[in-house]
Amino acid sequence: NAGVTQTPKFQVLKTGQSMTLQCAQDMNHEYMSWYRQDPGMGLRLIHYSVGAGITDQGEVPNGYNVSRSTTEDFPLRLLSAAPSQTSVYFCASRGTASGANVLTFGAGSRLTVL
Amino acid sequence: KQEVTQIPAALSVPEGENLVLNCSFTDSAIYNLQWFRQDPGKGLTSLLLIQSSQREQTSGRLNASLDKSSGRSTLYIAASQPGDSATYLCAVEWRSQGNLIFGKGTKLSVKP
């Protein structure tokens, strides 16, 4: 089915470990983004990309790294996990053609850092 | 700073009522505004998107309006049903880069 696929759905890490959250979309969308959702804080933008090879920082980029080597994939890397990065992470994408501006979200990845 | 605010944070209504959810934003030079629904433990589903040049959008029992000059949008839900219970999120895209800023949401509970 067409859409945004995130893996893994659940992950537990120890402080200091690194990991990558995967995000893939098969809709040929140019724009992709990562958000984190925390109770009382809403969704906050981490990083975003307007196309392959182009990325930029959002509101809360510290401790995260991204790259966009293909149109389809936009992985989010946690360099050295901290308990403050315990959150639910959402990847999203949208196209740029007229009528294709709706943002489509993945199902989310729940990360716990001990 | 560009910000999005949603009031109220929570709302409880009896089934059948018409209701309005509010969203306000700083900086009226928006590209578009979207309303989303989120069920507990789930992802976000887009309900309505209003482009900067539009004043409203409708889908079934939902109607979203946009007033850029006052920095406000409303989501009107007609004849509410228990299945409408969810958190409703408003998000604004100021530049066409897919980088939306979200409000904190309104948690709606519709009682049978």
Side-chain angles (χ1 to χ4, degrees), chain B residues 50-73:
Chain B
I50 310 177
Q51 298 285 6
S52 175
S53 59
Q54 297 173 325
R55 295 297 300 269
E56 67 176 353
Q57 284 287 335
T58 298
S59 176
R61 293 183 295 108
L62 305 179
N63 175 275
S65 67
L66 173 65
D67 183 346
K68 286 194 304 178
S69 61
S70 65
R72 295 185 178 186
S73 175

mmCIF file of all heavy atoms in Angstrom, chain B residues 50-73:
data_model
loop_
_atom_site.group_PDB
_atom_site.id
_atom_site.type_symbol
_atom_site.label_atom_id
_atom_site.label_comp_id
_atom_site.label_asym_id
_atom_site.label_seq_id
_atom_site.Cartn_x
_atom_site.Cartn_y
_atom_site.Cartn_z
ATOM 1 N N ILE B 50 -6.466 23.950 3.864
ATOM 2 C CA ILE B 50 -6.902 25.219 3.294
ATOM 3 C C ILE B 50 -5.671 25.941 2.752
ATOM 4 O O ILE B 50 -4.748 26.264 3.505
ATOM 5 C CB ILE B 50 -7.608 26.116 4.323
ATOM 6 C CG1 ILE B 50 -8.696 25.348 5.066
ATOM 7 C CG2 ILE B 50 -8.208 27.335 3.632
ATOM 8 C CD1 ILE B 50 -9.383 26.170 6.147
ATOM 9 N N GLN B 51 -5.664 26.192 1.468
ATOM 10 C CA GLN B 51 -4.572 26.963 0.879
ATOM 11 C C GLN B 51 -4.712 28.424 1.282
ATOM 12 O O GLN B 51 -5.795 28.896 1.637
ATOM 13 C CB GLN B 51 -4.595 26.842 -0.648
ATOM 14 C CG GLN B 51 -4.400 25.437 -1.169
ATOM 15 C CD GLN B 51 -2.956 24.956 -1.069
ATOM 16 O OE1 GLN B 51 -2.085 25.625 -0.501
ATOM 17 N NE2 GLN B 51 -2.692 23.766 -1.611
ATOM 18 N N SER B 52 -3.634 29.148 1.172
ATOM 19 C CA SER B 52 -3.601 30.550 1.577
ATOM 20 C C SER B 52 -4.665 31.389 0.861
ATOM 21 O O SER B 52 -5.222 32.326 1.436
ATOM 22 C CB SER B 52 -2.220 31.124 1.287
ATOM 23 O OG SER B 52 -2.168 32.497 1.554
ATOM 24 N N SER B 53 -4.971 31.041 -0.384
ATOM 25 C CA SER B 53 -5.915 31.821 -1.181
ATOM 26 C C SER B 53 -7.371 31.447 -0.920
ATOM 27 O O SER B 53 -8.279 32.082 -1.462
ATOM 28 C CB SER B 53 -5.617 31.619 -2.663
ATOM 29 O OG SER B 53 -5.715 30.248 -2.996
ATOM 30 N N GLN B 54 -7.606 30.421 -0.114
ATOM 31 C CA GLN B 54 -8.960 29.937 0.131
ATOM 32 C C GLN B 54 -9.504 30.470 1.452
ATOM 33 O O GLN B 54 -8.748 30.824 2.365
ATOM 34 C CB GLN B 54 -8.974 28.401 0.132
ATOM 35 C CG GLN B 54 -8.571 27.813 -1.201
ATOM 36 C CD GLN B 54 -8.418 26.299 -1.155
ATOM 37 O OE1 GLN B 54 -7.988 25.732 -0.143
ATOM 38 N NE2 GLN B 54 -8.771 25.634 -2.240
ATOM 39 N N ARG B 55 -10.828 30.467 1.584
ATOM 40 C CA ARG B 55 -11.464 30.913 2.826
ATOM 41 C C ARG B 55 -12.020 29.750 3.637
ATOM 42 O O ARG B 55 -12.155 29.852 4.864
ATOM 43 C CB ARG B 55 -12.601 31.887 2.498
ATOM 44 C CG ARG B 55 -12.142 33.179 1.866
ATOM 45 C CD ARG B 55 -11.236 33.978 2.798
ATOM 46 N NE ARG B 55 -11.866 34.334 4.044
ATOM 47 C CZ ARG B 55 -12.538 35.465 4.225
ATOM 48 N NH1 ARG B 55 -12.670 36.336 3.244
ATOM 49 N NH2 ARG B 55 -13.075 35.741 5.399
ATOM 50 N N GLU B 56 -12.385 28.645 2.951
ATOM 51 C CA GLU B 56 -12.915 27.501 3.682
ATOM 52 C C GLU B 56 -12.822 26.237 2.848
ATOM 53 O O GLU B 56 -12.665 26.285 1.623
ATOM 54 C CB GLU B 56 -14.358 27.759 4.125
ATOM 55 C CG GLU B 56 -15.350 27.854 2.998
ATOM 56 C CD GLU B 56 -16.771 28.002 3.541
ATOM 57 O OE1 GLU B 56 -16.974 27.887 4.770
ATOM 58 O OE2 GLU B 56 -17.675 28.230 2.731
ATOM 59 N N GLN B 57 -12.940 25.115 3.559
ATOM 60 C CA GLN B 57 -12.990 23.805 2.930
ATOM 61 C C GLN B 57 -13.989 22.967 3.709
ATOM 62 O O GLN B 57 -14.123 23.104 4.925
ATOM 63 C CB GLN B 57 -11.620 23.117 2.955
ATOM 64 C CG GLN B 57 -10.633 23.633 1.948
ATOM 65 C CD GLN B 57 -10.947 23.202 0.531
ATOM 66 O OE1 GLN B 57 -11.595 22.190 0.298
ATOM 67 N NE2 GLN B 57 -10.514 24.000 -0.427
ATOM 68 N N THR B 58 -14.675 22.080 2.988
ATOM 69 C CA THR B 58 -15.697 21.245 3.610
ATOM 70 C C THR B 58 -15.467 19.794 3.225
ATOM 71 O O THR B 58 -15.095 19.487 2.085
ATOM 72 C CB THR B 58 -17.101 21.681 3.151
ATOM 73 O OG1 THR B 58 -17.315 23.031 3.585
ATOM 74 C CG2 THR B 58 -18.165 20.792 3.748
ATOM 75 N N SER B 59 -15.715 18.910 4.202
ATOM 76 C CA SER B 59 -15.692 17.478 3.953
ATOM 77 C C SER B 59 -16.719 16.831 4.866
ATOM 78 O O SER B 59 -16.526 16.765 6.078
ATOM 79 C CB SER B 59 -14.301 16.893 4.215
ATOM 80 O OG SER B 59 -14.310 15.493 4.055
ATOM 81 N N GLY B 60 -17.826 16.401 4.293
ATOM 82 C CA GLY B 60 -18.872 15.776 5.095
ATOM 83 C C GLY B 60 -19.396 16.704 6.173
ATOM 84 O O GLY B 60 -19.851 17.812 5.892
ATOM 85 N N ARG B 61 -19.305 16.274 7.428
ATOM 86 C CA ARG B 61 -19.793 17.087 8.551
ATOM 87 C C ARG B 61 -18.754 18.105 9.042
ATOM 88 O O ARG B 61 -19.007 18.818 10.011
ATOM 89 C CB ARG B 61 -20.166 16.155 9.709
ATOM 90 C CG ARG B 61 -21.361 15.262 9.424
ATOM 91 C CD ARG B 61 -21.742 14.395 10.631
ATOM 92 N NE ARG B 61 -20.698 13.429 10.962
ATOM 93 C CZ ARG B 61 -19.916 13.514 12.022
ATOM 94 N NH1 ARG B 61 -20.022 14.533 12.883
ATOM 95 N NH2 ARG B 61 -19.013 12.573 12.261
ATOM 96 N N LEU B 62 -17.613 18.170 8.397
ATOM 97 C CA LEU B 62 -16.545 19.062 8.805
ATOM 98 C C LEU B 62 -16.460 20.261 7.875
ATOM 99 O O LEU B 62 -16.570 20.118 6.655
ATOM 100 C CB LEU B 62 -15.199 18.336 8.796
ATOM 101 C CG LEU B 62 -15.079 17.065 9.609
ATOM 102 C CD1 LEU B 62 -13.683 16.479 9.469
ATOM 103 C CD2 LEU B 62 -15.419 17.294 11.061
ATOM 104 N N ASN B 63 -16.238 21.434 8.491
ATOM 105 C CA ASN B 63 -16.013 22.647 7.719
ATOM 106 C C ASN B 63 -14.907 23.436 8.403
ATOM 107 O O ASN B 63 -14.994 23.709 9.604
ATOM 108 C CB ASN B 63 -17.283 23.489 7.635
ATOM 109 C CG ASN B 63 -17.041 24.818 6.945
ATOM 110 O OD1 ASN B 63 -16.625 25.797 7.557
ATOM 111 N ND2 ASN B 63 -17.276 24.857 5.639
ATOM 112 N N ALA B 64 -13.874 23.773 7.650
ATOM 113 C CA ALA B 64 -12.783 24.566 8.191
ATOM 114 C C ALA B 64 -12.754 25.914 7.492
ATOM 115 O O ALA B 64 -12.883 25.983 6.267
ATOM 116 C CB ALA B 64 -11.455 23.852 8.012
ATOM 117 N N SER B 65 -12.597 26.962 8.270
ATOM 118 C CA SER B 65 -12.506 28.302 7.709
ATOM 119 C C SER B 65 -11.153 28.912 8.026
ATOM 120 O O SER B 65 -10.471 28.504 8.973
ATOM 121 C CB SER B 65 -13.619 29.191 8.273
ATOM 122 O OG SER B 65 -13.404 29.394 9.659
ATOM 123 N N LEU B 66 -10.775 29.882 7.223
ATOM 124 C CA LEU B 66 -9.487 30.547 7.400
ATOM 125 C C LEU B 66 -9.677 32.053 7.267
ATOM 126 O O LEU B 66 -10.245 32.523 6.272
ATOM 127 C CB LEU B 66 -8.481 30.057 6.357
ATOM 128 C CG LEU B 66 -7.135 30.779 6.313
ATOM 129 C CD1 LEU B 66 -6.363 30.548 7.612
ATOM 130 C CD2 LEU B 66 -6.310 30.303 5.112
ATOM 131 N N ASP B 67 -9.185 32.791 8.257
ATOM 132 C CA ASP B 67 -9.166 34.253 8.202
ATOM 133 C C ASP B 67 -7.723 34.674 8.467
ATOM 134 O O ASP B 67 -7.288 34.797 9.613
ATOM 135 C CB ASP B 67 -10.103 34.839 9.248
ATOM 136 C CG ASP B 67 -10.165 36.360 9.172
ATOM 137 O OD1 ASP B 67 -9.308 36.967 8.502
ATOM 138 O OD2 ASP B 67 -11.076 36.947 9.775
ATOM 139 N N LYS B 68 -6.991 34.895 7.386
ATOM 140 C CA LYS B 68 -5.568 35.216 7.539
ATOM 141 C C LYS B 68 -5.356 36.553 8.247
ATOM 142 O O LYS B 68 -4.441 36.697 9.050
ATOM 143 C CB LYS B 68 -4.898 35.260 6.166
ATOM 144 C CG LYS B 68 -4.675 33.913 5.544
ATOM 145 C CD LYS B 68 -3.713 34.005 4.368
ATOM 146 C CE LYS B 68 -4.188 34.986 3.333
ATOM 147 N NZ LYS B 68 -3.230 35.108 2.209
ATOM 148 N N SER B 69 -6.216 37.516 7.957
ATOM 149 C CA SER B 69 -6.006 38.858 8.503
ATOM 150 C C SER B 69 -6.053 38.860 10.027
ATOM 151 O O SER B 69 -5.344 39.636 10.679
ATOM 152 C CB SER B 69 -7.041 39.831 7.935
ATOM 153 O OG SER B 69 -8.349 39.423 8.298
ATOM 154 N N SER B 70 -6.885 37.991 10.587
ATOM 155 C CA SER B 70 -6.976 37.924 12.041
ATOM 156 C C SER B 70 -6.124 36.781 12.607
ATOM 157 O O SER B 70 -6.057 36.615 13.826
ATOM 158 C CB SER B 70 -8.427 37.724 12.487
ATOM 159 O OG SER B 70 -8.924 36.468 12.053
ATOM 160 N N GLY B 71 -5.508 35.998 11.746
ATOM 161 C CA GLY B 71 -4.673 34.889 12.193
ATOM 162 C C GLY B 71 -5.471 33.785 12.856
ATOM 163 O O GLY B 71 -5.042 33.250 13.886
ATOM 164 N N ARG B 72 -6.630 33.427 12.259
ATOM 165 C CA ARG B 72 -7.494 32.435 12.891
ATOM 166 C C ARG B 72 -8.052 31.437 11.890
ATOM 167 O O ARG B 72 -8.301 31.759 10.724
ATOM 168 C CB ARG B 72 -8.653 33.114 13.617
ATOM 169 C CG ARG B 72 -8.223 33.968 14.784
ATOM 170 C CD ARG B 72 -9.428 34.519 15.526
ATOM 171 N NE ARG B 72 -9.008 35.305 16.688
ATOM 172 C CZ ARG B 72 -9.836 35.810 17.577
ATOM 173 N NH1 ARG B 72 -11.137 35.623 17.462
ATOM 174 N NH2 ARG B 72 -9.368 36.518 18.586
ATOM 175 N N SER B 73 -8.255 30.233 12.408
ATOM 176 C CA SER B 73 -8.980 29.206 11.675
ATOM 177 C C SER B 73 -9.916 28.511 12.652
ATOM 178 O O SER B 73 -9.605 28.396 13.838
ATOM 179 C CB SER B 73 -8.024 28.185 11.057
ATOM 180 O OG SER B 73 -8.737 27.131 10.433
#
